[in-house]
Amino acid sequence: MRTLVLGAGMTGQAASRLLSRMRMDHLVYDQHEGSLDGIGDGVETVGGDWDPSILADVSLVVVSPGFKPHLPPLSDIGSAGITIWSEVELAVRHLDVPIIAVTGTNGKSTVCRQTTSMLRESGINARATGNVGFPISDLVPEPGQVAVLEISSFQLYYTYSLAPRVAVFLNLAEDHLDWHGTMEAYAIAKGRISRHLTDRDLLVYDLDDPGAAAHARTAPGRHAPVTGLVPHPDGPYGFGAEGLVHPGGTISIPDPPDIDPSFRMNLTAAAVAALELGADPDAIAKTVVNFRHHFHRRTVVGSNQGITWVDDSKATNPHAAMAAIRSFGSVVLIAGGVRKGLDLSPMLRAPNVRHLVAIGESGPDLVKLASDLPADLAGSMEEAVWMAGRRARSGDTVLLSPGTTGFDMFTCYEHRGNVFARHVHDYLTSEASPVGILADPKGVE
C-alpha cells in the first residue's frame, strides 16, 4: 500500500516519521518546496503546483488540516475513490494508550494543558498531544501513559477510529465555515469525538453551552455535565462555596484563582477528565490554585490612569471574543481580521463595549455593522493602539479580542498579540501618552 502525505508542516512531518517507523512506502507533497526540507532521508517528496498524476499507485492519503475538502487536491482524491485519513486517524490505529480527547470551538488548549498538569502532578505519565504539545503520531507508547489530545474539527472530519476513554466537548459556535461550508457540517465533524464511547467511557461537556448540551443528548457513554456557574452534587459539576464539586464529591480549594465563568468551566472539565484517569485530588487542587492565563488569553500587558490593556489575540472567532468581552465592565474593543464567513455583529452588541477600533480585512464591515456604537477604522495595529488610547478613559479595558484570524496582517495569533503588546509598550512610554504601568514584558517581541 502506497501512502501520500498531504502537507509538510508539523503534522505532515510527524505522519511521515510514523510511516517510516512502520516501514510503509509513502511520499510527501507540499506546494511550497521549501517545506519539504524537513522530511527525512529516503522519503520521496513532490513540490510545486498540484498534479493529479501524483496519485498514481496511491491507495491511502494522510491529510493535514490546511487542505479544504471541496478544493484540489482533496476533490481529486475523493473523485478517485482513495481513502483519506487525518494524521490523528493514522496515529490512533497504531497507539494503545488511554486517550482523553478534547474538542470545542474555544478552550481546548487550556483544558488540555490543565488536564495534563493535573495528571502529571499526580505522578501519571501524561503527554499533551495534537494541536497542543506535539503531534500524536510522534507519541511512542510507554507503560502507564495517558495521551491528552487536542483535536480540531478539521482533524475529526477525517478521523474514524478514535475511541477515547474520556471525550471532552466544551462548546460549539460558528467557526471555520469557510472550511466546512455550513454550521451543520461543522457540528457533525465535532460530534465525531463521541461516536465510539461505551458505557465504560465518559463524556464531559458544558451544560450551559447549547451546542455542547445538544451533542450530549444523543451521545453514548456516561455523562458528566460541568458548569462555570452554580454546581450541584449530582451535576452539573463546578466551583462551589466549599471547593470543586465533581462526580465523586468535593475537592477543598482554600484559595481558588479569581477567574471568570468560562475559565472555571475549563478547569472543572479538566479536573473531571483527570479524575476519571486516576488523578489525585490534592494534585488537582494544586493545579487549580496555580492556574494562570496563557499568553494571548486575556493577558494584561499594561495599565495607565485607570485604563487596563489586555491581549486576547487567541480569540479567533466571535464566541471566544464574547467570553473575553463579558469579563470586563467597560471595553474599548480592538477587533477585526480575516472574516471566515462568520457573523461578527454579536461582539458589537455587547452592552459593555463602549467603543470599537476595527482593523484588518473585515475592519470596514465592522465599522458599518457598528451602527450606533462609536467606531474608528485603523490601518495598522500601531494606529489601533493609539486610537484606543485616545478613546479610553479611567475604568475602561482596552481589549484586543479580534474575533477572527489575523492572517491578513500577521503570521499567527501569537504574532498579532506580540505586535499589540509592543505597541502598547511604546504608547505607554511615549511623551505623547500619560505615564503608565507596564506589565512584565516577557513574551513581547
Side-chain angles (χ1 to χ4, degrees):
M1 180 172 72
R2 184 167 171 80
T3 299
L4 167 65
V5 176
L6 282 184
M10 184 179 295
T11 58
Q13 291 188 27
S16 177
R17 287 191 290 270
L18 177 55
L19 290 166
S20 294
R21 291 198 302 272
M22 295 189 300
R23 302 178 183 273
M24 292 183 65
D25 180 31
H26 69 283
L27 70 158
V28 181
Y29 166 79
D30 198 295
Q31 183 178 13
H32 305 288
E33 297 188 14
S35 300
L36 297 165
D37 294 341
I39 301 301
D41 294 338
V43 177
E44 181 183 350
T45 61
V46 181
D49 292 339
W50 171 251
D51 185 342
S53 66
I54 296 170
L55 297 175
D57 300 323
V58 168
S59 56
L60 172 66
V61 171
V62 178
V63 63
S64 299
F67 293 87
K68 297 179 180 180
H70 58 285
L71 297 176
L74 287 182
S75 57
D76 293 332
I77 294 165
S79 297
I82 299 172
T83 299
I84 304 172
W85 289 354
S86 66
E87 175 260 341
V88 172
E89 175 67 16
L90 174 69
V92 298
R93 284 175 175 254
H94 302 89
L95 190 64
D96 186 20
V97 300
I99 295 173
I100 298 174
V102 182
T103 200
T105 304
N106 298 301
K108 298 184 294 295
S109 297
T110 298
V111 171
C112 282
R113 289 190 179 96
Q114 297 309 309
T115 303
T116 303
S117 178
M118 291 169 181
L119 290 167
R120 293 180 72 85
E121 192 68 34
S122 302
I124 296 170
N125 180 16
R127 301 300 301 270
T129 67
N131 292 337
V132 63
F134 62 95
I136 193 168
S137 290
D138 280 335
L139 187 66
V140 178
E142 300 172 358
Q145 192 173 53
V146 174
V148 182
L149 171 67
E150 177 184 329
I151 186 166
S152 70
S153 60
F154 309 141
Q155 293 162 316
L156 282 164
Y157 189 87
Y158 289 116
T159 297
Y160 312 98
S161 303
L162 177 65
R165 273 283 288 108
V166 182
V168 181
F169 196 114
L170 295 171
N171 43 59
L172 184 69
E174 276 197 352
D175 201 7
H176 305 305
L177 299 191
D178 56 336
W179 199 97
H180 291 282
T182 66
M183 186 64 191
E184 180 182 15
Y186 176 53
I188 290 171
K190 286 288 191 187
R192 297 173 73 90
I193 194 169
S194 300
R195 64 187 307 190
H196 294 306
L197 297 185
T198 69
D199 291 342
R200 173 175 173 266
D201 307 317
L202 184 68
L203 170 66
V204 182
Y205 67 97
D206 181 3
L207 182 66
D208 303 315
D209 182 82
H215 169 77
R217 283 194 287 272
T218 59
R222 295 178 292 116
H223 290 187
V226 296
T227 182
L229 303 174
V230 181
H232 187 276
D234 296 324
Y237 308 105
F239 284 87
E242 303 300 320
L244 180 59
V245 181
H246 63 90
T250 300
I251 299 173
S252 177
I253 302 177
D255 189 22
D258 183 15
I259 53 178
D260 63 63
S262 64
F263 282 116
R264 289 201 296 271
M265 186 279 298
N266 287 341
L267 282 173
T268 304
V272 172
L275 284 165
E276 181 71 9
L277 269 295
D280 179 71
D282 289 339
I284 287 175
K286 181 178 179 180
T287 303
V288 169
V289 169
N290 291 334
F291 173 77
R292 298 293 182 273
H293 295 176
H294 204 258
F295 285 122
H296 313 301
R297 293 166 178 82
R298 300 177 223 175
T299 305
V300 175
V301 296
S303 63
N304 70 310
Q305 296 190 349
I307 300 165
T308 304
W309 297 74
V310 174
D311 166 19
D312 191 50
S313 182
K314 182 66 167 65
T316 58
N317 56 66
H319 184 268
M322 286 300 298
I325 289 167
R326 294 188 188 107
S327 300
F328 306 101
S330 179
V331 172
V332 175
L333 178 65
I334 300 176
V338 179
R339 187 162 184 167
K340 298 192 294 182
L342 305 177
D343 179 10
L344 304 178
S345 61
M347 299 187 299
L348 313 182
R349 294 197 296 265
N352 55 325
V353 175
R354 193 177 63 75
H355 194 96
L356 167 71
V357 179
I359 59 173
E361 176 186 294
S362 61
D365 289 338
L366 279 170
V367 171
K368 291 178 183 177
L369 288 169
S371 185
D372 295 334
L373 176 68
D376 295 310
L377 179 63
S380 66
M381 184 62 80
E382 180 180 18
E383 187 178 11
V385 166
W386 280 78
M387 284 180 170
R390 296 288 191 249
R391 300 297 188 185
R393 60 196 183 200
S394 181
D396 282 346
T397 297
V398 177
L399 174 65
L400 172 67
S401 196
T404 67
T405 56
F407 298 122
D408 52 341
M409 299 172 67
F410 308 99
T411 58
C412 58
Y413 76 82
E414 291 99 335
H415 179 217
R416 178 170 59 187
N418 288 339
V419 171
F420 170 73
R422 186 175 71 243
H423 287 308
V424 170
H425 180 280
D426 293 345
Y427 175 75
L428 295 182
T429 55
S430 72
E431 294 183 0
S433 165
V435 176
I437 301 170
L438 295 178
D440 183 348
K442 181 182 178 182
V444 179
E445 289 183 341

